[in-house]
């Protein structure tokens, strides 16, 4: 158990809809990272937050957004969903904004039908 | 940009066989290198890491040495077990500006199947 929790575990929704994925980092970790894992794109970094502020962006679509709250949990919002958004979404946390080790949650499997 | 290349899988071995999974990287600076493992239905777990050239990371019988001259970080284990069956990801993280270490760049993953 990494100490990182993600909810829900599975999510099935229709095209055009909006969903919110939630992540709670390990106790004491200030950085949260979001990654997408799909069969065709592999594991890709989406976005990083550190202590409530956006710190780095990767291959995140404009339809996607995220935030980190004062209690350090983070939410990833996916809107106008397309079939190609079906993937595993992982959250990871680390102690600092530049810490080497990231600890991953179990992931949320999103299926868009 | 940064990139990581891993050998294609699946790799199928018999129990107690020697394992090598090749990983090479491209980076502009001085990356830290990692191996993560993903068991079926689970998230990624950090297996080992190396932060500078010639460092050797090791954990649970797995080893990898950071080779700057060949830009490689091959994963090895002397005797695999059925319980090692999983997907293995090589990754790098490079120092970047005011954000400190950047997020991880992953290879495509190599599935290992160990048969009894």
């Amino acid at each position: 158990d990494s100490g990182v929790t993600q909810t829900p575990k599975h999510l099935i929704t229709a095209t055009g809809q909006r969903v919110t994925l939630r992540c709670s980092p390990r106790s004491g970790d200030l950085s949260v990272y979001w990654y997408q894992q799909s069969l065709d794109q592999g594991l890709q970094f989406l976005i990083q937050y550190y202590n409530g502020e956006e710190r780095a962006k990767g291959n995140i679509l404009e339809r996607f957004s995220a935030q980190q709250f004062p209690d350090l949990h983070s939410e990833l919002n996916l809107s106008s969903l397309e079939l190609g958004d079906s993937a595993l979404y992982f959250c990871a946390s680390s102690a600092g904004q530049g810490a080497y080790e990231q600890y991953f949650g179990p992931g949320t499997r999103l299926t868009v039908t | 940009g940064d990139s990581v290349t891993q050998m294609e899988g699946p790799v199928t071995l018999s129990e107690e066989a020697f394992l090598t999974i090749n990983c090479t990287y491209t980076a502009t600076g001085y990356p830290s290198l990692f191996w993560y493992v993903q068991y079926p239905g689970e998230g990624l777990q950090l297996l080992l890491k190396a932060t500078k050239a010639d460092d050797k990371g090791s954990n649970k019988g797995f080893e990898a040495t950071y080779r700057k001259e060949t830009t490689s970080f091959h994963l090895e284990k002397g005797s695999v077990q059925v319980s090692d069956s999983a997907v293995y990801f090589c990754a790098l993280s490079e120092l970047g500006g005011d954000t400190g270490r950047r997020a991880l760049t992953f290879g495509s993953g190599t599935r290992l199947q160990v048969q009894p």
Side-chain angles (χ1 to χ4, degrees):
Chain A
D1 185 354
S2 67
V4 179
T5 60
Q6 289 187 248
T7 56
K9 192 167 183 179
H10 300 279
L11 200 48
I12 301 174
T13 189
T15 54
Q17 295 299 304
R18 172 189 170 95
V19 297
T20 297
L21 313 183
R22 181 188 170 105
C23 167
S24 292
R26 290 188 322 154
S27 177
D29 283 358
L30 299 178
S31 266
V32 169
Y33 303 79
W34 286 96
Y35 293 88
Q36 179 194 59
Q37 185 179 33
S38 62
L39 283 175
D40 54 344
Q41 302 277 1
L43 262 164
Q44 289 197 98
F45 166 63
L46 296 178
I47 196 164
Q48 177 201 358
Y49 277 81
Y50 174 76
N51 204 20
E53 293 187 8
E54 183 185 303
R55 274 291 184 246
K57 267 187 172 179
N59 298 323
I60 188 165
L61 300 172
E62 285 191 11
R63 300 183 285 109
F64 296 0
S65 65
Q67 53 186 327
Q68 186 179 26
F69 295 86
D71 66 353
L72 300 176
H73 91 271
S74 178
E75 293 181 355
L76 179 67
N77 301 296
L78 314 176
S79 61
S80 303
L81 286 167
E82 302 175 359
L83 294 177
D85 298 328
S86 296
L88 258 173
Y89 291 85
F90 288 108
C91 165
S93 73
S94 67
Q97 60 180 328
Y100 300 143
E101 295 178 29
Q102 294 182 26
Y103 296 88
F104 281 75
T108 293
R109 181 171 293 282
L110 173 65
T111 302
V112 182
T113 63
Chain B
D2 299 343
S3 66
V4 176
T5 303
Q6 288 182 237
M7 63 188 287
E8 294 285 331
V11 173
T12 303
L13 296 173
S14 298
E15 211 164 20
E16 298 183 4
F18 184 85
L19 168 71
T20 299
I21 300 178
N22 291 336
C23 169
T24 57
Y25 67 90
T26 301
T28 53
Y30 302 93
S32 289
L33 302 174
F34 306 84
W35 277 100
Y36 279 83
V37 58
Q38 185 176 28
Y39 297 101
E42 297 184 14
L44 283 79
Q45 298 176 26
L46 178 63
L47 182 59
L48 54 84
K49 67 176 184 182
T51 58
K52 59 183 187 299
D54 300 324
D55 268 2
K56 178 186 279 189
S58 61
N59 186 26
K60 300 180 181 178
F62 291 90
E63 293 183 340
T65 301
Y66 190 143
R67 301 283 188 204
K68 192 162 187 263
E69 63 276 11
T70 54
T71 61
S72 64
F73 193 54
H74 305 321
L75 183 68
E76 296 182 336
K77 186 176 187 184
S79 175
V80 294
Q81 306 300 312
V82 172
S83 57
D84 294 327
S85 298
V87 180
Y88 292 81
F89 291 91
C90 185
L92 70 79
S93 176
E94 191 164 19
L95 190 62
D98 62 356
T99 68
R101 289 279 160 185
R102 293 178 183 156
L104 294 163
T105 299
F106 286 93
S108 56
T110 302
R111 182 175 300 277
L112 170 65
Q113 297 173 334
V114 181
Q115 297 175 336

